């Protein structure tokens, strides 16, 4: 049978391969249609069964390229037509097949095409070999890609760039970085695609030495003015923590785009510099650059770190106004933002509206519920996650174990710790910390100590610190001293354990031992972080420290607290002076309690907010026991919901009780 030459299609999105029918009738054109998103399920080659479409069609459309073999053969219908001699192959057929595999991430079909290509007369074609290398990288077939690269008799700049870019995009930064000097060593001059990829690798490795060297090479090659290289440089420097250098590159860029802005915004967000992120977000809009999903994600992360609910709501509204869809990774950061800003109800609403929930979505929701003291709800949601078929990871179990610890769910905590083995997850030190905390908070101090001694890994300072915290709670001096000594050996510069040990001694009235602990801190250069609290009122942040008289309204604030303190004493508040670590008389000890930073912040909020509105306070360390008790009474007397976020969790005070049920 005579082979007909390949005929170029009239439509660039389709490819028509004609074979003269046996009845020798004139060739007929079949109507050509383009594939839409709605047609995807019909056109998906995976849904086609052998024989479903009848006899092989002489016309191959765009979506036919990865159609399975109707009968036994190579595995793909187009390749079967080539093998039977029905069509004359050329490079464009293989190139089209490879591109389709790369676009649809079809590794299995890509291997079939590659094997067929290696047996063709075009097997030495460098262009198609580069396409196959790129296809394997995009499909995650890194071993296949490396084999293709090693077997290539000839390589060009595209070959090396495809290899480096593939490594960088598949989180193999070390391999990408190692390939770059090899490429230069064999005489190839990198282009802006190569530079962008190796800079991405340098940023992932946080290797500013490599990044600076590549930057110098960019200047030498004249690629530093390219917008993509410039954006990659900004990203690299900020990932290495060099914000000044990143900003310098950004400011020197003649041409910027959304990627440039996103790189700088994301860098500040990773550093927790929320104010800078919000300023850049506004500057970006003033410069007429539209925010993307990546912009919103970074900005929500910044709001989460600051706990600024109103700013976060404003940016969420901005995203909705711009018509942006709530895709998974943006939704995940939005859930995290609302939870960390104190609005767990808004976090739940966002979670419920997500079209697709992945393990990160569930982890964000579980973390939020745990932080807000919703232990039982966290457990219930975790069970729903398992029913939905989402496989939990190590972070998931850490979220659930934390919820059990803070919620006093002892049996559930034990069960989920054992469940990790079913999912082939090896507990890390953080999981052991939560288990020690779970046992300690339940008052099972001896069991907690035995658990530590039986751990298969060496306990660190955090593990012993969890036991020390429980000893402080239950005033077990002997075991507390033992745990503190272990912490001092492992982390002598952490002030937290020193303070906890001092609290234990102070509770027992052992003031000489308190003085010894203080001397240890002075001699070792260990400094306690000054406690401070802050509250947002009308988009302004007001910060307070203990006994603060620097605020312009300090006198009014103190009078307000004294008034409130009198009211709550009438309904049962008794100052707990055991939290004062000074050997002074009872009256002076009580006075020192009254002007803690969270009480001053609360008094100011009562002065400056409308009656009945929710008050939100943030604190940089754990809220003290006396303040916790006092705020419970204030929520009842003043009829306010008061939400306090400390380093451990959220406390929702309402009608004289707290969401933690005094178990924190």
């Amino acid at each position: 049978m005579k082979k007909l030459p390949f005929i170029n299609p009239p439509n660039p999105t389709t490819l028509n391969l004609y074979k003269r029918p046996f009845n020798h009738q004139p060739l007929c054109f079949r109507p050509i249609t383009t594939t839409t998103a709605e047609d995807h399920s019909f056109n998906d080659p995976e849904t086609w069964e052998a024989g479903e479409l009848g006899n092989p069609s002489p016309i191959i459309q765009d979506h036919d390229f990865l159609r399975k073999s109707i009968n036994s053969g190579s595995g793909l219908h187009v390749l079967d037509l080539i093998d039977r001699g029905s069509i004359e192959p050329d490079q464009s057929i293989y190139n089209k097949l490879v591109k389709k595999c790369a676009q649809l991430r079809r590794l299995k079909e890509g291997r079939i095409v590659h094997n067929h290509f290696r047996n063709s007369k075009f097997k030495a074609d460098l262009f198609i070999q580069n396409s196959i290398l790129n296809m394997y990288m995009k499909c995650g077939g890194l071993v296949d890609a490396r084999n293709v690269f090693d077997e290539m008799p000839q390589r060009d700049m595209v070959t090396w760039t495809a290899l480096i870019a593939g490594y960088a995009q598949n989180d193999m930064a070390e391999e990408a970085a190692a390939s770059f000097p090899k490429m230069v060593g064999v005489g190839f001059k990198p282009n802006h695609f190569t530079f962008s990829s190796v800079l991405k690798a340098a940023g992932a490795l946080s290797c500013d030495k490599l990044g600076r060297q590549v930057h110098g090479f960019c200047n030498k090659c004249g690629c530093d003015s390219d917008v993509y290289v410039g954006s990659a440089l900004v990203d690299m420097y900020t990932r290495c923590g060099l914000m000044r250098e990143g900003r310098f590159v950004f400011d020197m860029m003649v041409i910027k785009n959304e990627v440039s802005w996103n790189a700088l915004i994301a860098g500040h967000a990773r550093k927790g510099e929320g104010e800078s992120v919000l300023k850049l977000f506004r500057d970006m809009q003033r410069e007429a650059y539209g925010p993307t999903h990546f912009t919103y994600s970074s900005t929500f992360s910044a709001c989460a770190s600051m706990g600024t609910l109103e700013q976060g709501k404003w940016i969420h509204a901005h995203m909705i106004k711009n018509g942006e869809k709530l895709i998974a990774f943006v939704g995940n950061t939005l859930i995290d933002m609302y939870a960390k800003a104190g609005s767990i109800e808004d976090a739940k609403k966002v979670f419920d509206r997500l079209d697709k929930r992945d393990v990160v979505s569930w982890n964000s929701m579980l973390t939020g519920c745990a932080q807000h003291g919703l232990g039982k709800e966290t457990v219930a949601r975790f069970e729903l996650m398992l029913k939905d078929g989402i496989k939990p990871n190590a972070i998931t179990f850490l979220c659930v174990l934390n919820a059990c610890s803070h919620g006093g769910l002892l049996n559930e905590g034990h069960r989920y710790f054992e469940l990790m083995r079913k999912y082939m997850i090896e507990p890390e030190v953080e999981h052991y910390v939560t288990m020690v905390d779970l046992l300690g908070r339940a008052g099972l101090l001896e069991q907690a100590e035995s658990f530590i001694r039986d751990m298969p890994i060496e306990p660190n300072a955090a593990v012993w610190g969890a036991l020390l915290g429980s000893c402080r709670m239950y005033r077990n001096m002997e075991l507390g001293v033992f745990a503190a000594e272990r912490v001092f050996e492992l982390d002598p510069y952490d002030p937290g354990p020193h303070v906890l040990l001092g609290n234990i001694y102070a509770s027992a009235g052992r003031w000489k031992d308190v003085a010894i602990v203080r001397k240890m801190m002075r001699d070792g250069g260990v400094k306690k972080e000054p406690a401070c609290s802050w509250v947002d009122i009308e988009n302004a942040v007001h910060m307070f420290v203990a006994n603060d008289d620097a605020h312009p309204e300090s006198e009014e604030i103190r009078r307000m607290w004294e008034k409130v303190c009198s009211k709550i004493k009438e309904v049962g508040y008794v100052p707990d002076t055991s939290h004062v670590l000074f050997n002074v008389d009872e009256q002076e000890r009580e006075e020192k309690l009254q002007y803690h930073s969270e009480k001053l912040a609360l008094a100011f909020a009562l002065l400056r907010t409308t009656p009945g509105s929710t008050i939100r306070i943030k604190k940089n360390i754990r809220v003290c026991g006396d303040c916790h008790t006092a705020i419970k009474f204030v929520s009842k007397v003043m009829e306010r919901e008061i939400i306090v976020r400390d380093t451990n969790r959220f406390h929702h005070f309402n009608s004289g009780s707290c969401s933690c049920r005094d178990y924190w």
Side-chain angles (χ1 to χ4, degrees):
M1 183 172 62
K2 183 180 178 181
K3 295 181 180 179
L4 294 177
F6 175 70
I7 302 174
N8 290 326
N11 188 319
T13 62
T14 60
L15 183 64
N16 303 297
L17 304 174
Y18 298 98
K19 182 182 76 173
R20 184 174 295 279
F22 291 111
N23 60 8
H24 300 289
Q25 295 297 318
L27 288 174
C28 298
F29 284 88
R30 175 179 169 187
I32 297 172
T33 59
T34 58
T35 304
T36 65
E38 289 76 11
D39 299 325
H40 184 266
S41 62
F42 175 77
N43 294 328
D44 189 343
E46 294 290 347
T47 65
W48 292 2
E49 300 295 335
E52 180 182 333
L53 300 180
N55 294 326
S57 170
I59 303 174
I60 306 300
Q61 294 192 32
D62 184 70
H63 57 261
D64 290 336
F65 271 88
L66 298 188
R67 175 180 164 191
K68 292 180 180 179
S69 296
I70 294 177
N71 300 307
S72 60
S74 66
L76 292 178
H77 178 56
V78 172
L79 298 180
D80 290 346
L81 293 177
I82 294 175
D83 291 341
R84 289 200 298 265
S86 301
I87 57 175
E88 182 74 32
D90 66 5
Q91 292 96 322
S92 63
I93 296 178
Y94 286 111
N95 189 49
K96 185 74 174 178
L97 285 165
V98 172
K99 284 180 66 177
K100 273 292 176 186
C101 292
Q103 289 170 359
L104 299 176
R105 304 294 193 266
R106 298 290 178 82
L107 181 59
K108 179 182 176 182
E109 289 82 352
R111 286 171 174 155
I112 293 172
V113 174
H114 182 205
N115 288 332
H116 197 280
F117 169 76
R118 284 195 293 194
N119 295 320
S120 75
K121 63 182 179 180
F122 308 111
K123 61 183 179 181
D125 189 289
L126 181 59
F127 180 84
I128 300 176
Q129 287 177 335
N130 287 338
S131 296
I132 291 172
L133 172 61
N134 179 63
M135 177 272 295
Y136 276 133
M137 284 297 190
K138 288 189 173 179
C139 294
L142 304 180
V143 175
D144 299 284
R146 184 70 207 201
N147 290 337
V148 170
F149 179 84
D150 291 339
E151 293 170 3
M152 290 175 69
Q154 288 183 306
R155 303 181 186 116
D156 61 6
M157 191 61 231
V158 176
T159 313
W160 283 97
T161 299
L163 182 74
I164 293 171
Y167 278 143
Q169 291 164 4
N170 284 279
D171 299 324
M172 298 181 70
E174 292 183 1
E175 288 78 359
S179 300
F180 182 72
K182 293 178 182 178
M183 178 201 72
V184 176
V186 294
F188 287 107
K189 180 181 178 182
N191 57 27
H192 59 280
F193 294 113
T194 323
F195 281 126
S196 298
S197 297
V198 76
L199 286 168
K200 176 181 173 67
L205 294 171
S206 296
C207 182
D208 64 291
K209 181 179 179 181
L210 172 63
R212 290 179 190 275
Q213 290 174 340
V214 175
H215 189 182
F217 206 164
C218 290
N219 294 337
K220 184 178 179 180
C221 294
C223 291
D224 55 309
S225 59
D226 182 85
V227 64
Y228 298 104
V229 174
S231 301
L233 282 167
V234 174
D235 183 64
M236 180 275 295
Y237 278 123
T238 56
R239 286 185 183 276
C240 293
L242 303 172
M243 303 305 300
R244 186 174 64 179
E245 287 83 348
R247 184 60 193 249
F248 177 80
V249 172
F250 180 83
D251 291 338
M252 293 298 292
M253 291 176 66
V254 178
I255 300 175
K256 300 181 179 70
N257 60 12
E258 286 80 5
V259 178
S260 320
W261 283 93
N262 287 343
L264 189 61
I265 289 172
H268 283 289
R270 284 190 295 269
K271 294 279 285 184
E273 298 170 351
E275 292 294 336
S276 297
V277 170
L278 295 177
K279 183 180 183 303
L280 284 169
F281 182 79
R282 293 189 291 267
D283 292 343
M284 181 181 185
Q285 295 172 78
R286 277 196 290 267
E287 295 289 334
Y289 292 96
T292 67
H293 286 118
F294 296 102
T295 321
Y296 287 117
S297 180
S298 296
T299 311
F300 288 139
S301 295
C303 292
S305 66
M306 294 190 300
T308 52
L309 182 61
E310 294 307 316
Q311 292 278 16
K313 282 186 173 181
W314 177 81
I315 294 166
H316 186 192
H318 188 282
M319 186 181 79
I320 295 172
K321 184 179 178 181
N322 279 3
E324 298 285 353
K325 292 183 178 180
L326 194 63
I327 61 176
F329 78 93
V330 180
N332 297 340
T333 55
L334 189 55
I335 292 168
D336 187 56
M337 184 277 293
Y338 275 125
K340 288 183 176 177
S343 182
I344 190 64
E345 294 304 320
D346 284 320
K348 292 176 186 178
K349 290 176 183 177
V350 173
F351 180 81
D352 292 339
R353 292 171 185 168
L354 286 178
D355 292 332
K356 185 178 180 182
R357 300 169 190 147
D358 56 17
V359 66
V360 180
S361 313
W362 282 97
N363 287 350
S364 299
M365 193 68 253
L366 294 174
T367 301
C369 289
Q371 288 176 335
H372 284 266
L374 304 174
K376 291 183 179 180
E377 182 173 341
T378 305
V379 168
R381 285 183 178 272
F382 177 64
E383 295 293 342
L384 284 174
M385 174 184 176
L386 299 181
K387 287 181 181 178
D388 282 357
I390 305 296
K391 184 179 179 181
N393 57 22
I395 297 174
T396 314
F397 280 103
L398 187 60
C399 297
V400 178
L401 290 174
N402 270 320
C404 293
S405 173
H406 287 291
L409 305 176
L410 186 63
N411 294 333
E412 291 85 346
H414 276 293
R415 181 159 59 89
Y416 292 133
F417 187 75
E418 295 299 323
L419 188 63
M420 294 178 68
R421 296 177 182 175
K422 176 183 176 181
Y423 289 95
M424 307 298 289
I425 298 172
E426 191 67 29
E428 299 173 8
V429 67
E430 293 83 5
H431 299 94
Y432 288 107
V433 170
T434 57
M435 287 303 295
V436 173
D437 193 56
L438 174 68
L439 293 167
R441 287 176 185 273
L444 304 174
L445 300 180
E446 292 183 1
Q447 287 188 31
E449 183 188 9
S450 298
F451 181 85
I452 294 174
R453 296 188 185 280
D454 294 339
M455 282 171 52
I457 60 176
E458 193 69 25
N460 64 2
V463 173
W464 289 109
L467 180 60
L468 176 59
S470 299
C471 291
R472 161 70 177 95
M473 185 185 302
Y474 289 99
R475 302 185 180 184
N476 187 322
M477 188 183 308
E478 183 179 352
L479 186 56
V481 171
F482 176 77
E485 289 173 350
R486 304 288 81 75
V487 177
F488 296 160
E489 292 173 1
L490 296 167
D491 188 3
Y493 299 105
D494 183 2
H498 292 81
V499 174
L500 283 173
L501 182 58
N503 277 326
I504 293 174
Y505 284 137
S507 299
R510 294 176 56 169
W511 299 108
K512 288 184 179 180
D513 291 320
V514 173
I516 291 172
V517 173
R518 289 181 177 277
K519 186 176 184 301
M520 286 174 55
M521 294 178 68
R522 286 195 303 270
D523 294 345
V526 180
K527 294 183 178 180
K528 178 180 177 295
E529 182 181 6
C532 65
S533 300
W534 58 99
V535 60
D536 295 338
I537 305 292
E538 297 178 353
N539 292 324
V541 179
H542 298 264
M543 191 174 72
F544 301 88
V545 296
N547 299 302
D548 195 351
D549 58 1
H551 195 280
E553 301 176 52
S554 59
E555 290 299 323
E556 192 176 357
I557 293 168
R558 284 174 177 259
R559 284 196 297 270
M560 182 63 184
W561 177 250
E562 289 167 3
K563 178 182 176 182
V564 171
C565 188
S566 297
K567 287 186 176 182
I568 61 177
K569 282 183 177 179
E570 292 174 2
V571 294
Y573 166 64
V574 177
D576 184 358
T577 57
S578 67
H579 294 277
V580 178
L581 302 184
F582 295 96
N583 186 14
V584 293
D585 61 47
E586 192 69 16
Q587 182 178 352
E588 190 173 350
R589 289 160 69 84
E590 184 176 332
E591 288 176 359
K592 287 184 177 294
L593 280 177
Q594 294 313 306
Y595 301 110
H596 279 191
S597 62
E598 54 265 59
K599 290 173 180 171
L600 295 176
L602 176 56
F604 179 74
L606 289 169
L607 283 169
R608 291 289 172 263
T609 56
T610 57
S613 61
T614 300
I615 296 173
R616 303 175 191 274
I617 298 171
K618 294 176 281 291
K619 189 175 181 182
N620 66 331
I621 63 174
R622 180 178 176 272
V623 62
C624 90
D626 178 71
C627 289
H628 189 272
T629 302
I631 296 173
K632 282 198 301 181
F633 281 102
V634 174
S635 70
K636 180 178 181 180
V637 170
M638 305 303 291
E639 298 181 350
R640 294 285 198 106
E641 180 184 14
I642 304 167
I643 301 175
V644 178
R645 168 189 171 183
D646 66 11
T647 52
N648 291 340
R649 63 185 299 161
F650 281 88
H651 299 266
H652 291 252
F653 298 94
N654 209 335
S655 302
S657 62
C658 179
S659 59
C660 73
R661 296 178 293 122
D662 299 337
Y663 196 86
W664 92 101

